[in-house]
Amino acid sequence: MQYFVYFYLAVDYLCYKIKTMTIEQLYSRYKELPLISTDTRNIIPGCIFFALKGEKFNANAFAGEALERGARLVVVDEAQYVADERCILVSDVLSALQDLARYHRTQLNIPIIGITGTNGKTTTKELLHAVLSQRYKTFATKGNLNNHIGVPLSMLAVDESTEVAVIEMGANHQREIAFLCDIAAPTHGLITNVGKAHLEGFGSFEGVKKAKGELYDYLKAHKGILFLQGDNPHLQEMEHARHVEQVVRYGFSGDNDIVGQLVNANPFLTITWRLTAEKESIHTVSTQLTGSYNAENILAAAAVGNFLGLSASEINRGLQEYTPTNNRSQVVKTATNTVIADYYNANASSMAAALDNIAFIDANQKTIILGDMFEMGDESSVEHQKLVEKTAGISAARKIFVGRAFYAHQHTDAEFYETTDEAKKALQAHPITGSTILLKASRGMAFERLMEML
């Protein structure tokens, strides 16, 4: 009994001592070796482990394991897991991580470019990284670390040698972009576009515009630089409602500061771009990207690069060198087909753009394989039906729809399968050869299983 009394007195003492730790004190510990981990499977010796919680996990229970694997400190929010002085007890681990990232941002005096949008934000982020890296030590969000956990982790990965950072911001509810801006404090920003995605959380297309527009609100309030796709009526409307002070416009009409023209998209994109102020200097760049919808993402990277002082040759070199990965507008040549692998994500806007692109491409034979879009809310049925109807005007040898949402709109002029496994069996029984194939779906459809058949 006496042992337990001493134990709880010791824990109480640790709690008292650690609860008085300020964010500045925690930051000083982070600066000793600025490595952060939230997963015991990826512990880097000397890191600080943040024991986050989720609906199905509680990393507090793995604090001891993190220390055993080499973590220098662990941050927990349950007193029972405070083992010794290496454990920092806070009221909420996630808030502590976010506060640490927010404080770290105040110590950085560099341009931070915030990117959000319904479609294309990851591709644009990668293009920006490729371009800006031609001159600057550039950091860009890794993978899809773009939410309330990912953005803090991204910011804490920005070190003192970084000269410019590109931070991707995702959202599926109101006020999320505002919250992420409060952490990342972008000095520059752009919204790639707005469309029908995450409608369960946003409620409507107007809800999407309101949520994404929180980036514009931040830039206006903090006198930041906005890069605007000047031909997009929705983005123009959103900017006009706020009157951001400093705006750099890019697009395909002569009213923009940087004007582009799509030269070829069959299947890889070649574009020209020029500064409106220098009409005689036209720059041509051939890329490894497919999809005419990516032309504006290429222009966005050129606009940011030019604004930050890069030469046209540096910009073009970055654009040419960028190779898409992770099944985002990626052209994959298999033994028998050419596949436009674009099944990392999907929504009504990106699906329509992908169909426009496959219709534009010159190919002897085309195949369309679409999978369900997730998080479409009450508009799911209508939006899936629209896509089925849209394919009717596209010439293709086979049109294949996969998933329960599409299956509800089946008709005799196409193939419909309720599951990816059923579609895979159909492709095994009736293989596709010699075709240019659009393969697009939400990530949850696991379309990589279909790639094996193509």
Side-chain angles (χ1 to χ4, degrees), residues 12 48 79 109 189 205 230 262 289 345 404 406 429:
D12 286 344
I48 300 177
N109 185 26
F205 179 52
L262 179 61
L289 273 168
N345 205 352
R404 293 179 180 176
F406 274 127

Coordinates of all heavy atoms in Angstrom, one line a residue, residues 12 48 79 109 189 205 230 262 289 345 404 406 429:
D12 N 2.0 12.8 -9.2 CA 1.4 14.1 -9.0 C 2.5 15.2 -9.0 O 2.3 16.3 -9.6 CB 0.7 14.2 -7.6 CG -0.6 13.5 -7.6 OD1 -1.1 13.2 -8.7 OD2 -1.1 13.1 -6.5
I48 N 11.1 13.6 -30.5 CA 10.0 13.8 -29.6 C 8.8 13.1 -30.1 O 8.4 13.3 -31.2 CB 9.7 15.3 -29.3 CG1 11.0 16.0 -28.9 CG2 8.6 15.5 -28.3 CD1 10.8 17.5 -28.7
A79 N -2.1 11.0 -17.2 CA -1.1 10.9 -16.2 C -0.6 9.5 -15.9 O 0.6 9.3 -15.5 CB -1.7 11.5 -14.9
N109 N 11.5 33.4 -40.8 CA 11.3 34.6 -41.6 C 11.5 34.3 -43.0 O 12.4 34.7 -43.7 CB 12.3 35.7 -41.1 CG 12.0 37.0 -41.8 OD1 10.9 37.3 -42.2 ND2 13.0 37.8 -41.9
G189 N -0.4 32.8 -51.3 CA -1.3 31.7 -51.3 C -2.1 31.6 -52.7 O -2.1 32.6 -53.4
F205 N -22.1 23.5 -52.8 CA -21.0 24.1 -53.5 C -20.6 25.5 -52.9 O -19.5 25.9 -52.8 CB -21.3 24.2 -55.0 CG -20.3 24.9 -55.8 CD1 -19.0 24.5 -55.8 CD2 -20.6 26.0 -56.7 CE1 -18.0 25.1 -56.6 CE2 -19.6 26.6 -57.4 CZ -18.3 26.2 -57.4
G230 N -7.0 33.9 -63.1 CA -7.9 35.0 -63.4 C -9.0 34.7 -64.4 O -9.9 35.6 -64.6
L262 N -2.3 26.4 -74.3 CA -2.1 25.0 -74.4 C -1.7 24.7 -75.8 O -2.5 24.9 -76.7 CB -3.3 24.3 -73.9 CG -3.3 22.7 -74.0 CD1 -2.2 22.2 -73.2 CD2 -4.7 22.1 -73.7
L289 N 3.4 15.8 -67.7 CA 2.0 15.7 -67.1 C 1.0 15.5 -68.2 O 1.2 15.9 -69.4 CB 1.7 17.1 -66.5 CG 2.0 17.3 -65.0 CD1 1.9 18.7 -64.6 CD2 1.2 16.4 -64.1
N345 N -7.7 10.1 -56.1 CA -8.9 10.8 -55.5 C -9.8 11.1 -56.7 O -9.4 11.1 -57.8 CB -8.5 12.1 -54.8 CG -9.5 12.5 -53.7 OD1 -10.5 11.9 -53.6 ND2 -9.1 13.5 -52.9
R404 N -21.2 0.9 -56.1 CA -22.6 0.9 -55.9 C -23.3 2.1 -56.4 O -24.5 2.1 -56.9 CB -22.9 0.6 -54.4 CG -22.5 -0.8 -54.0 CD -22.8 -1.0 -52.5 NE -22.4 -2.3 -52.1 CZ -22.4 -2.8 -50.9 NH1 -22.8 -2.0 -49.9 NH2 -22.0 -4.0 -50.6
F406 N -22.5 4.1 -58.9 CA -22.6 4.0 -60.4 C -23.6 2.9 -60.8 O -24.4 3.1 -61.7 CB -21.3 3.8 -61.1 CG -20.5 5.0 -61.3 CD1 -19.2 5.2 -60.9 CD2 -21.0 6.1 -62.1 CE1 -18.4 6.3 -61.2 CE2 -20.3 7.2 -62.3 CZ -19.0 7.3 -61.9
A429 N -11.6 -12.0 -67.7 CA -12.3 -12.8 -68.7 C -12.2 -12.1 -70.1 O -12.2 -12.8 -71.1 CB -13.7 -12.9 -68.3

